[in-house]
Amino acid sequence: MDEHTRGDRTRGVDPADGPAAREKEALVGRKAELERFFRMVNVVNGASATERVLVLRGDAGMGKSALLDSAMRWARVSGVRVLRAEGSESEASLAFSALHQLLRPVAAAVDGLPERQRTALAGALGTGPAAEGAPDLMLIGVALLSLLSESADPQPLMLVIDDAQWIDRASLDALAFAVKRLEAEPVTLLIGVRTGDPLPALDRHWPTLTLAPLDAAAAGRLLDHQPQSPTGRVRDQVIEQAAGNPLALVELARAAATSPGSPTGPLPLTGELERIFATRLAELPAPTVQLLLLLAAMDTADSAVLAAAGLPGAEHTAWRPALQAGLVRRTGGAAHFAHPLMRSAVYHAASPDARRAAHLALADLLGDAPDRRAWHRAAAAPGPDASVAAALEQTADRARRRGGHAAAAQALQRAADLAPDRAESARLLVEAATAAVFTGDITWVDELATAARERTDDATLLATAAVHSGRLAALTTGHTVVFSRLTRAARQWTATDPDAALDLLAGAAVVRFYSGEDTQRKEIDRVLAQLPQDEPSAWLRAWVRTVSDPTDGRAELVALLPQLLADAEGTPERLTTLAIMAWLLDETALAVSAFDTAFDGWRAHGPLPQGLGGAAAWAYVEYGRWEQAREACAQIAASASALGLDHAVACATAVDACVLAFQGEAARARSRAAEALALIDPLESRSVAVYVRRALGAAAGAEGAYETAYDQLRLAFTAEGDPVHYHASWPALAELAAAAVRSGHRDEASSIVERAARRLGDGASPRRSALISRARALLADPEEAERHFRAALADPALERRPFEHAQTLLDHAEWLRRRRRITEARPLLTTALETFQRLGARPWVERARAESRAAGLDVAASTTPDALAELSPQQRQIIGLAARGLTNREIGEKLFLSPRTVGSHLYRSFPKLGITARSQLRDLVEGTPLVATAGRQE
């Protein structure tokens, strides 16, 4: 008895007597694939899980749909609820159409979602008013996550997506977002997609099963199952020409049985099969052929849409000949093509006039569905048509308001093709490029911008296209090429459109930050000098200067910040930009305040990550709000991942790795660091490379591997000792010095620190001066160290960076104790230990406790910090939010988790914390103040 059979018998179902056995007989040569599908059904039904998602790839006719149907039938027999959606070519341009199809059976449950989630999802699906302003795509994803979680109770849930290559992008984005976060849910996802077709929103690391051609023995068995199985030479020809494609075997066998002679020579499979299907149309009655053409032109698998279009149900007599011929199949009450090739054959067998007539007929029938109607009118248009172009532009506007940026860009692109006026066509193409920016597809954006340039010489339009294209290009990974492109475009527009030139230069400055390439700063300065210094652009000029070199003219830039922030009030996007500037200038408190004010608006202004958006996470890290930093990392990574912007994902992942390392999660920090490095070229993206080295250095230091820590941190500086990155390397100075002292590299580290001090000169921020002073104190001779410690602690602003402050306090206290100045060391140790406990910095807690005991302190603390330290960082985040009174749903919205996953983490955390009720969390998290008393006299 095999493993699958044993698993089924445990639930009282024997596959030998049920649908599994019948599927194995019918789907010849696919036993292994069926077994894997049935194991996934077992997983969702409670068996141990190694995977919850499976992508099934195969060429047309390889049996993907048949396998998915088998999995669905077995799931239903096993008590699993199934939701299914099928892609179609025409609906790929209708935002959220596939999600609407998938969720129709659970549509009533949308009303039970929290108001914000309900409004967002209903607006996306078109069942409620669209959100005012830009839709919050993260909230739509969270709403879907909640809905799937609710729908998986009490029955497990299986989602099946067939022909995913034709699923609209908005649906794929939302589905990918939700499924990646279904940690504790009894939910699985099966996806069928044609080989070679990309799925841009889906995780490239999801398990994939590729359907190979049937071998000769399996092909022979499949032919044996046919009503008229070919024999002899004909059989050999069919097997050879079908090349293991099951659909080809079936159809060629049918053709051989009904036609004199048999095909000879190699067959171009798809074209030949379409011809075979088309010849069968000639035998059908005219009403059936007309219905098939309407079905082919409709190009949808959604039975509700078919009914709305007025097509008769599958029970209608006109369908019977097509059903008997195997061209269509019955699904519920509707008729569907048995295979996409049959749809293609029917459609292309008709004359162009007949196809246009079919689309016009459908447009008339779909008066209550303006978006579908517009696309059918476009398909029927023999040439330019201003009214159809206008209808498509309205479709694009509706799609954009629902968050369907890909659908909007597609509609605008088609509208541009149909616009009679070249200037109007160019305008529509620029609008299409604007929408396509939010898909993350830089190639598409460039194609649209190029097409616009070919149709107009309007400087304003062309500048707009260049800016939008540049905005997206700045977030991609090819920094050297992109920088040249952006600065070249900026120079082009300096005279005719200086505002566009400055926008492009702002993008170039972002690329300069990512790359860390020093020669790029000089090029930015040259172009900036050519631009007028008018008042409205002052804030953007300040941005360019700050991002490209925050030390040059720092005092002047810091002085500008208060007024710039006041002017940006009520403008979240600009406020976010200025918050990033404040962070770059080491004005951390100001940056955090601005981020706090802008954060909600920043999330909602659009799905494209803000350039240097990872600055928010870093600001929260420095300010000691690590929980909030990880929330920001999750948000940035989620939105960037959906858009395929690997560099933005890498930035967020690197920050997350650093926080994990500071918290003592060394293994997880290394894993996250490896993820970040895999997404970038370290020579192209020095910023991320340095962040990763900091994370790896902190992880090694947490484990006491100081030689490894030094080696990693040393990579944040060149062989000569200069910073690898002009901003990211500086915080590593003190960390490098600390590792050097413990690994025997004091002299080399001292040389690097002094070189850095000379490089900064008088332009160092107070924070950088404090970091250099701490590094000098650690590396100095004993008699010289104290003045450097006091210099490092002199600026009270350092206390607003609690981790750095506590590290310096601990270093100083250790030095004092070794000088037998224990009374002076004790208050420093007490403060440092309190800070490390509050932050959850476990390695530092242990070190501070050991030093406190050596200083004669009885460290009597509440059990809270130790208990919290036993939790994972994500569990600590959840506990912290729950302690603030947030519900599971609200926590899920913040951390992009389902309520059930949140509940599961809380359930596992309570025993570790020694509590039994949620009401105890607030007192536990706030804890009692640390009490440290002298246990003995000096």
Side-chain angles (χ1 to χ4, degrees):
M1 186 181 296
D2 62 23
E3 180 182 349
H4 167 68
T5 306
R6 286 197 302 272
D8 291 325
R9 287 192 187 279
T10 63
R11 294 188 305 277
V13 178
D14 187 351
D17 301 324
R22 293 195 294 273
E23 299 300 346
K24 289 177 184 177
E25 180 181 354
L27 290 169
V28 174
R30 299 301 188 202
K31 178 180 178 180
E33 290 87 348
L34 281 169
E35 291 286 1
R36 186 164 179 182
F37 274 32
F38 295 151
R39 283 198 299 273
M40 288 193 72
V41 174
N42 291 350
V43 165
V44 76
N45 219 2
S48 61
T50 55
E51 62 188 41
R52 291 187 178 273
V53 180
L54 182 62
V55 179
L56 180 65
R57 287 192 173 272
D59 293 328
M62 294 300 287
K64 299 184 299 297
S65 296
L67 281 165
L68 293 174
D69 288 345
S70 297
M72 289 167 57
R73 285 191 286 272
W74 182 240
R76 290 184 177 118
V77 167
S78 303
V80 176
R81 186 177 197 175
V82 178
L83 300 180
R84 182 180 188 274
E86 184 176 337
S88 62
E89 287 181 271
S90 67
E91 293 188 4
S93 57
L94 298 175
F96 294 108
S97 58
L99 198 62
H100 191 279
Q101 184 188 156
L102 183 75
L103 299 180
R104 184 175 288 111
V106 295
V110 175
D111 293 337
L113 295 175
E115 182 179 359
R116 290 179 66 240
Q117 295 184 27
R118 180 176 66 250
T119 301
L121 187 57
L125 298 178
T127 57
E132 294 183 8
D136 189 340
L137 298 186
M138 295 295 102
L139 189 57
I140 292 170
V142 170
L144 177 60
L145 181 63
S146 298
L147 183 64
L148 294 178
S149 177
E150 293 295 331
S151 300
D153 186 18
Q155 283 179 286
L157 185 65
M158 173 174 280
L159 309 177
V160 179
I161 308 294
D162 198 5
D163 284 328
Q165 71 274 4
W166 294 323
I167 295 292
D168 66 278
R169 176 64 184 270
S171 292
L172 276 180
D173 286 342
L175 192 62
F177 178 93
V179 170
K180 290 175 187 176
R181 291 160 178 81
L182 289 167
E183 298 176 16
E185 315 298 331
V187 180
T188 55
L189 172 63
L190 298 180
I191 304 169
V193 62
R194 283 191 183 177
T195 299
D197 286 311
L199 293 178
L202 299 183
D203 194 317
R204 71 191 73 175
H205 303 300
W206 278 352
T208 298
L209 177 61
T210 301
L211 292 182
L214 299 180
D215 60 27
R221 291 198 302 273
L222 180 57
L223 289 179
D224 289 339
H225 282 290
Q226 304 312 305
Q228 292 179 281
S229 178
T231 60
R233 184 177 60 85
V234 173
R235 182 185 182 93
D236 293 340
Q237 288 176 330
V238 168
I239 290 176
E240 180 182 356
Q241 293 170 37
N245 185 291
L247 181 63
L249 286 161
V250 171
E251 293 304 326
L252 291 175
R254 188 195 299 262
T258 58
S259 304
S262 60
T264 59
L267 296 174
L269 187 60
T270 298
E272 181 61 21
L273 284 178
E274 285 190 356
R275 186 192 64 76
I276 291 171
F277 295 147
T279 60
R280 286 154 60 184
L281 292 175
E283 304 169 4
L284 301 177
T288 301
V289 174
Q290 181 61 28
L291 272 181
L292 288 171
L293 179 55
L294 286 171
L295 184 63
M298 191 70 204
D299 192 20
T300 181
D302 195 329
S303 57
V305 174
L306 294 172
L311 295 187
E315 72 284 350
H316 195 278
T317 56
W319 290 115
R320 192 170 301 154
L323 287 165
Q324 293 171 344
L327 291 172
V328 297
R329 55 186 168 86
R330 190 193 306 267
T331 304
H336 298 283
F337 282 106
H339 193 275
L341 290 177
M342 299 176 188
R343 174 189 289 125
S344 177
V346 169
Y347 189 79
H348 292 289
S351 67
D353 288 340
R355 292 198 293 267
R356 283 195 295 271
H359 283 294
L360 286 174
L362 289 169
D364 290 340
L365 291 168
L366 291 167
D368 294 334
D371 296 334
R372 295 180 188 277
R373 186 171 188 271
W375 278 105
H376 282 296
R377 289 182 64 197
D385 189 317
S387 67
V388 177
L392 284 170
E393 188 172 9
Q394 292 170 1
T395 286
D397 184 58
R398 285 188 290 270
R400 196 158 30 200
R401 282 188 279 117
R402 293 163 55 197
H405 297 286
Q410 288 169 332
L412 289 163
Q413 186 175 17
R414 179 66 176 129
D417 292 339
L418 293 172
D421 181 70
R422 285 178 63 83
E424 177 68 1
S425 176
R427 180 189 69 81
L428 290 167
L429 284 167
V430 172
E431 288 291 322
T434 303
V437 162
F438 295 100
T439 69
D441 189 339
I442 184 63
T443 302
W444 189 15
V445 173
D446 285 345
E447 288 174 358
L448 293 166
T450 299
R453 285 194 293 272
E454 291 172 352
R455 300 184 195 189
T456 185
D457 55 4
D458 184 302
T460 301
L461 273 180
L462 295 179
T464 301
V467 167
H468 284 305
S469 183
R471 181 186 179 196
L472 180 55
L475 298 174
T476 58
T477 55
H479 302 314
T480 302
V481 173
V482 170
F483 182 85
S484 297
R485 167 183 164 180
L486 290 172
T487 50
R488 185 169 59 250
R491 286 195 300 272
Q492 176 185 345
W493 294 104
T494 51
T496 56
D497 196 333
D499 288 341
L502 191 55
D503 273 333
L504 289 161
L505 203 58
V510 171
V511 177
R512 143 75 171 157
F513 182 91
Y514 288 154
S515 73
E517 174 55 54
D518 284 337
T519 58
Q520 293 176 351
R521 180 185 62 80
K522 297 175 183 177
E523 178 63 16
I524 289 172
D525 289 345
R526 280 194 291 269
V527 179
L528 193 61
Q530 300 173 30
L531 295 172
Q533 300 189 36
D534 55 328
E535 187 62 30
S537 67
W539 74 273
L540 196 53
R541 289 183 66 90
W543 161 266
V544 172
R545 289 177 57 195
T546 302
V547 175
S548 57
D549 187 355
T551 58
D552 185 19
R554 178 184 177 276
E556 176 193 351
L557 292 166
V558 169
L560 288 173
L561 273 175
Q563 185 58 52
L564 292 176
L565 287 165
D567 293 342
E569 187 176 352
T571 312
E573 187 171 2
R574 184 177 296 186
L575 194 57
T576 300
T577 300
L578 296 172
I580 295 170
M581 282 179 56
W583 170 73
L584 288 166
L585 293 166
D586 284 331
E587 296 295 313
T588 307
L590 196 60
V592 167
S593 175
F595 278 129
D596 284 346
T597 303
F599 199 73
D600 286 340
W602 179 42
R603 286 206 313 168
H605 89 272
L608 191 67
Q610 172 74 40
L612 303 185
W618 273 122
Y620 289 131
V621 170
E622 293 167 10
Y623 208 61
R625 284 155 57 171
W626 291 359
E627 172 191 301
Q628 203 164 357
R630 297 201 70 215
E631 287 178 33
C633 289
Q635 177 193 324
I636 295 164
S639 59
S641 178
L643 295 169
L645 297 174
D646 286 350
H647 193 271
V649 177
C651 289
T653 304
V655 181
D656 201 41
C658 283
V659 178
L660 287 167
F662 297 157
Q663 292 177 323
E665 296 278 343
R668 292 185 64 199
R670 282 192 288 269
S671 175
R672 296 291 276 161
E675 291 174 29
L677 275 182
L679 293 170
I680 55 105
D681 177 350
L683 298 178
E684 279 275 287
S685 183
R686 295 176 180 86
S687 57
V688 173
V690 169
Y691 296 151
V692 165
R693 298 306 167 192
R694 283 189 67 193
L696 293 173
E703 296 177 324
Y706 296 114
E707 185 72 34
T708 301
Y710 182 82
D711 289 344
Q712 290 292 343
L713 294 165
R714 180 64 181 82
L715 293 172
F717 301 88
T718 66
E720 295 76 21
D722 291 321
V724 167
H725 188 274
Y726 63 96
H727 185 272
S729 290
W730 292 106
L733 266 179
E735 297 163 357
L736 178 78
V741 169
R742 291 168 172 79
S743 61
H745 296 281
R746 188 186 298 265
D747 291 344
E748 183 182 42
S750 295
S751 174
I752 293 172
V753 170
E754 295 309 316
R755 188 182 181 97
R758 289 193 298 272
R759 184 185 181 108
L760 281 175
D762 296 331
S765 68
R767 182 202 181 191
R768 293 190 185 184
S769 294
L771 290 170
I772 289 175
S773 293
R774 179 189 167 210
R776 281 172 163 167
L778 289 167
L779 297 166
D781 293 332
E783 61 275 11
E784 295 292 323
E786 185 164 19
R787 68 184 179 91
H788 294 304
F789 277 127
R790 296 196 180 281
L793 293 167
D795 188 346
L798 183 61
E799 296 182 24
R800 297 174 189 162
R801 300 182 187 88
F803 187 50
E804 293 175 7
H805 184 238
Q807 288 174 307
T808 308
L809 288 174
L810 179 57
D811 290 337
H812 190 196
E814 288 175 335
W815 182 88
L816 288 168
R817 188 184 66 79
R818 286 169 176 76
R819 310 276 82 73
R820 305 187 65 79
R821 294 161 60 180
I822 295 174
T823 301
E824 295 174 71
R826 285 172 177 167
L828 306 186
L829 289 168
T830 298
T831 302
L833 181 53
E834 286 177 343
T835 301
F836 294 140
Q837 287 176 319
R838 178 173 59 80
L839 293 173
R842 283 184 288 177
W844 293 88
V845 168
E846 293 167 6
R847 182 176 148 197
R849 278 195 170 152
E851 192 65 26
S852 295
R853 293 188 187 100
L857 290 173
D858 290 332
V859 184
S862 71
T863 59
T864 301
D866 284 337
L868 289 173
E870 294 303 313
L871 304 181
S872 72
Q874 186 172 74
Q875 286 172 336
R876 286 198 292 271
Q877 282 183 284
I878 291 170
I879 289 294
L881 293 171
R884 283 157 48 185
L886 275 69
T887 66
N888 287 6
R889 286 185 184 275
E890 291 168 336
I891 295 170
E893 277 193 23
K894 280 186 168 290
L895 302 184
F896 309 116
L897 301 170
S898 73
R900 193 196 307 266
T901 297
V902 172
S904 175
H905 280 299
L906 287 171
Y907 177 80
R908 294 197 299 271
S909 299
F910 278 20
K912 298 177 184 177
L913 297 173
I915 63 174
T916 57
R918 200 181 188 107
S919 58
Q920 298 171 269
L921 283 174
R922 181 173 180 178
D923 289 340
L924 181 142
V925 170
E926 290 182 354
T928 56
L930 179 75
V931 178
T933 59
R936 56 184 172 82
Q937 299 299 316
E938 295 180 38

